Amino acid sequence: MTTQPTTATAAQASADAFRSLMSEFPTGVCAVTARDLDGEPWGMTCSSVTSVALAPPTLLVNLRVGSPTLRSLLNSGSFSVNFLHAEAQGTAELFASGNPDRFALTPWEQPPGPGGPHLVRDAHTVADCEVVLTQRMGDHVTVYGEVRRISRQHSLPPLLYGQRQFRSWSQT
């Protein structure tokens, strides 16, 4: 079925209404990390992560325009997506806070090759990516990353976020 566009312009949903809508859609929690050209680590909590393609393996993240993490990954050309486990809520909150000392407060290491810091205590899995495409939409930039390496670190269940609350994946 094809829908024809209407000539009337619909009112735009407010940012608060849209934020409330998206809070009703639970999702996994990640920390996107990168290093700037001076080797300084940057990172932020991100729940806007999506698989894009299997061949080549590609995912996307959506990051706020003006974010130092976005600037670092664009300048370096690579980043890591740290998929946080259920016991990493504190790190998710820390990386969402804007605290400039976040990397001093959580263990991390930088593996060789493309990608950003791995949160060795808090991520169950890390995907190291090379930037292959970016697209700006409003106040965010979608970054497509071709996955170069996947590192499984812990067998703990994933951390989820929905209805403005953190939860653990549960089989019940």
Side-chain angles (χ1 to χ4, degrees), residues 112-162:
H118 288 199
L119 304 182
V120 294
R121 180 192 65 203
D122 300 304
H124 63 77
T125 307
V126 180
D128 294 316
C129 304
E130 286 191 28
V131 176
V132 293
L133 179 68
T134 63
Q135 182 177 17
R136 183 173 176 160
M137 175 59 71
D139 59 357
H140 278 68
V141 173
T142 301
V143 179
Y144 294 82
E146 190 170 320
V147 179
R148 299 298 187 189
R149 176 179 48 221
I150 299 170
S151 304
R152 183 91 171 147
Q153 299 186 162
H154 298 285
S155 60
L156 294 167
L159 181 64
L160 304 176
Y161 188 77

Side-chain angles (χ1 to χ4, degrees), residues 29 84-94 121-123 159 166:
V29 181
L84 301 182
H85 60 67
E87 295 178 12
Q89 178 178 339
T91 297
E93 291 168 340
L94 174 65
R121 180 192 65 203
D122 300 304
L159 181 64
F166 290 98

Side-chain angles (χ1 to χ4, degrees), residues 9-10 12 18 29 48-49 55 57 59 81 88-89 99 104-105 123 132 137-138 146-147 151 157 167:
T9 302
Q12 186 177 38
F18 186 67
V29 181
S48 297
V49 177
L59 55 74
V81 180
Q89 178 178 339
N99 183 330
L105 298 171
V132 293
M137 175 59 71
E146 190 170 320
V147 179
S151 304
R167 293 281 187 250

Side-chain angles (χ1 to χ4, degrees), residues 42-95:
W42 293 91
M44 63 184 285
T45 300
C46 181
S47 59
S48 297
V49 177
T50 304
S51 63
V52 175
L54 290 175
T58 307
L59 55 74
L60 67 78
V61 296
N62 288 302
L63 303 177
R64 179 182 48 81
V65 169
S67 157
T69 302
L70 174 62
R71 183 176 49 253
S72 294
L73 74 83
L74 292 176
N75 287 337
S76 70
S78 67
F79 62 99
S80 290
V81 180
N82 292 264
F83 292 83
L84 301 182
H85 60 67
E87 295 178 12
Q89 178 178 339
T91 297
E93 291 168 340
L94 174 65
F95 275 68

